[in-house]
Amino acid sequence: MGEHKKEDMCINDRLRDDELRTVLGKLETDKDKEVFGLVCKRWLYIQSTERKKLCARAGPHMLRKMAARFTRLKDLDLSQSASRSFYPGVTDSDLSVIATGFTALHQLKLQNCKGITDAGMAAIATGLSSLQLLDVSYCRKLTDKGLSAITEGCHDLKSVHLAGCRFVTDVLLKSLSKNCHNLEELGLQGCIDITDTGLSALVDGCKHIKHLDVNKCTNVGDSGISVIAEACSTSLRTLKLLDCYKLGDKSLFTLANVCKNLETLIIGGCRDISSDSIRSLAAASQSLKVLRMDWCLNVSDASLNCILSQCTFLEVLDIGCCEEVTDGAFEGLGNAGFGLGLKVLKVSNCPKITVLGIGMVLEACRSLEYLDVRSCPHVTKAGCEDAGLRFPESCKVNYTGSLREPDVLI
């Protein structure tokens, strides 16, 4: 009789909530954790309260229900697709619910939520003091006023993404400098009112920046980038400067001299950068993994050869539209007796490169995964086959695709 009762005993009678949470914590995949919640209502409740990340679309009523259910949520993603331009996404009233219902949040992502304004940001600033990441890219109504409120209420911010926020100015950078000393990542793509003055003010208080994106910030020049490089010399890993046409050699010489841990550098469209500063960068930037310098019109064979031979950890290189580059840039690369680690090479619209140069690349770069030779009139599929070129088995070669194809690994 006693044995029969023992067999009928339910596991829920034996395990406490903290023990069930331990079991849930041992599950590695999201799918397994979802299955855990299907066992019974109690296990669903445990799963819900332990959930840390949620991606959803919801109005105020549903957000309140979610807040009551997911009490330990750390990461909330309410971003909208860029293609849903007719739909505003999250509104200020939704943000008020989030500010009072998800007080433990560390990350809030609101990309393309076109309806939110400074009033919504003020609500977030009041309620989410533990926020570490905020992504409001392409929330085009936001201004310095609302975003400065965030910096004043959320001092733990480490990552802020503001791409496409056209009303952001140096005022916000000064507020970040004053209030958010742990800032590590800042995305300012397309914020055209950002200037060197703002960048200089930023690093007065934010000296640990690892990733800075000022792509298409056309008012940024040498003085601002040089100050960033010097203030964040040990921490800086990624610097994106696409189409910052005011930049010249001073920025690159400074980066080469002081930023020894730089891994990703985007200088595409910076047409005044000379071959001398590129050689300086090659000699000093041993940690560089990704380099994009398409439309840098002064790139010479000698400077490119320095990049390829001296940046031994380089994996991605884009020299598209560098029209003076010839096969000579690739001479001697295979003579060291070991292959380069290059995985992606983009040489589109480099009319002086021929099949001979591509053969030199293949001899030196045995791990190549993607080669872009669009609009290279002397490099065709038939020509490569006639020359007997052997590409790595996993390598995709793009001969004729559109020049507007999405970037690969950049």
Side-chain angles (χ1 to χ4, degrees):
M1 191 71 173
E3 290 182 3
H4 180 71
K5 287 182 179 179
K6 187 175 183 180
E7 290 174 0
D8 288 345
M9 185 170 289
C10 175
I11 190 172
N12 280 343
D13 295 332
R14 288 294 186 96
L15 296 182
R16 301 187 303 272
D17 285 356
D18 58 339
E19 292 170 328
L20 284 173
R21 288 193 171 94
T22 300
V23 172
L24 178 61
K26 298 293 184 182
L27 301 180
E28 296 181 355
T29 69
D30 290 338
K31 184 178 179 180
D32 287 342
K33 291 177 182 179
E34 294 293 341
V35 172
F36 178 96
L38 296 176
V39 173
C40 64
K41 287 184 178 180
R42 184 185 175 207
W43 287 36
L44 177 62
Y45 171 78
I46 295 292
Q47 181 225 29
S48 298
T49 56
E50 286 298 296
R51 186 160 187 163
K52 299 296 190 295
K53 183 176 180 179
L54 184 64
C55 180
R57 285 197 187 100
H61 179 68
M62 184 57 69
L63 282 169
R64 290 188 184 93
K65 286 190 172 183
M66 289 162 52
R69 178 178 174 185
F70 304 113
T71 56
R72 301 189 185 190
L73 203 68
K74 300 294 184 184
D75 183 345
L76 179 60
D77 188 347
L78 298 171
S79 298
Q80 298 294 310
S81 168
S83 62
R84 291 169 63 89
S85 58
F86 60 90
Y87 184 69
V90 175
T91 65
D92 289 342
S93 60
D94 298 331
L95 293 183
S96 295
V97 174
I98 292 169
T100 56
F102 295 94
T103 55
L105 273 188
H106 285 177
Q107 300 188 24
L108 179 60
K109 300 164 189 172
L110 302 165
Q111 280 190 36
N112 291 299
C113 292
K114 302 174 182 64
I116 63 176
T117 71
D118 290 340
M121 290 294 99
I124 292 298
T126 301
L128 303 184
S129 60
S130 298
L131 203 63
Q132 296 179 11
L133 179 149
L134 177 67
D135 188 343
V136 288
S137 299
Y138 306 104
C139 298
R140 301 187 187 275
K141 294 182 180 180
L142 298 181
T143 74
D144 292 331
K145 180 180 179 181
L147 294 167
S148 293
I150 291 286
T151 69
E152 292 164 7
C154 308
H155 292 182
D156 293 334
L157 278 174
K158 292 183 178 180
S159 181
V160 180
H161 298 270
L162 305 167
C165 294
R166 57 187 176 179
F167 297 124
V168 168
T169 75
D170 293 343
V171 170
L172 176 62
L173 300 192
K174 294 174 183 176
S175 186
L176 281 166
S177 177
K178 179 181 178 181
N179 298 300
C180 302
H181 298 163
N182 295 322
L183 189 70
E184 296 179 353
E185 185 170 5
L186 181 60
L188 296 166
Q189 178 177 321
C191 298
I192 58 175
D193 288 329
I194 296 298
T195 72
D196 293 335
T197 301
L199 293 180
S200 298
L202 175 69
V203 292
D204 282 342
C206 302
K207 299 182 182 297
H208 307 291
I209 294 176
K210 295 180 179 179
H211 308 282
L212 178 64
D213 181 350
V214 288
N215 282 348
K216 301 183 183 296
C217 293
T218 51
N219 283 309
V220 167
D222 280 332
S223 61
I225 296 305
S226 296
V227 170
I228 290 284
E230 290 169 351
C232 305
S233 59
T234 58
S235 62
L236 197 63
R237 299 290 189 275
T238 300
L239 183 59
K240 298 184 178 182
L241 304 165
L242 181 68
D243 291 338
C244 294
Y245 58 81
K246 290 185 177 181
L247 288 178
D249 285 341
K250 180 182 177 182
S251 299
L252 256 64
F253 282 128
T254 305
L255 287 167
N257 289 334
V258 301
C259 294
K260 304 304 182 183
N261 298 314
L262 193 65
E263 297 177 355
T264 296
L265 178 63
I266 309 297
I267 50 174
C270 300
R271 302 187 182 197
D272 289 337
I273 290 173
S274 76
S275 190
D276 289 339
S277 63
I278 292 172
R279 283 198 293 269
S280 174
L281 185 73
S285 302
Q286 303 302 314
S287 59
L288 205 61
K289 294 181 180 179
V290 176
L291 177 60
R292 176 178 174 181
M293 51 183 186
D294 51 318
W295 288 104
C296 290
L297 302 183
N298 296 320
V299 173
S300 65
D301 287 348
S303 58
L304 180 55
N305 190 273
C306 287
I307 289 288
L308 288 167
S309 59
Q310 296 182 47
C311 297
T312 54
F313 292 101
L314 196 66
E315 296 180 359
V316 179
L317 176 64
D318 184 351
I319 54 166
C321 301
C322 295
E323 297 181 353
E324 297 304 312
V325 171
T326 74
D327 294 342
F330 309 114
E331 290 181 355
L333 292 179
N335 293 344
F338 58 89
L340 303 180
L342 205 64
K343 295 180 181 179
V344 174
L345 177 61
K346 304 179 79 171
V347 295
S348 60
N349 201 28
C350 292
K352 296 183 180 180
I353 291 178
T354 72
V355 170
L356 178 62
I358 299 304
M360 297 178 192
V361 169
L362 294 177
E363 184 179 347
C365 306
R366 302 176 187 126
S367 302
L368 207 62
E369 297 176 4
Y370 181 83
L371 176 64
D372 181 358
V373 291
R374 294 173 290 180
S375 297
C376 293
H378 301 297
V379 183
T380 64
K381 186 174 183 180
C384 290
E385 290 174 351
D386 290 343
L389 298 189
R390 298 183 64 181
F391 293 91
E393 186 175 344
S394 60
C395 182
K396 175 186 176 182
V397 185
N398 193 342
Y399 294 101
T400 59
S402 168
L403 284 173
R404 298 191 178 188
E405 279 192 3
D407 291 331
V408 176
L409 296 184
I410 296 183

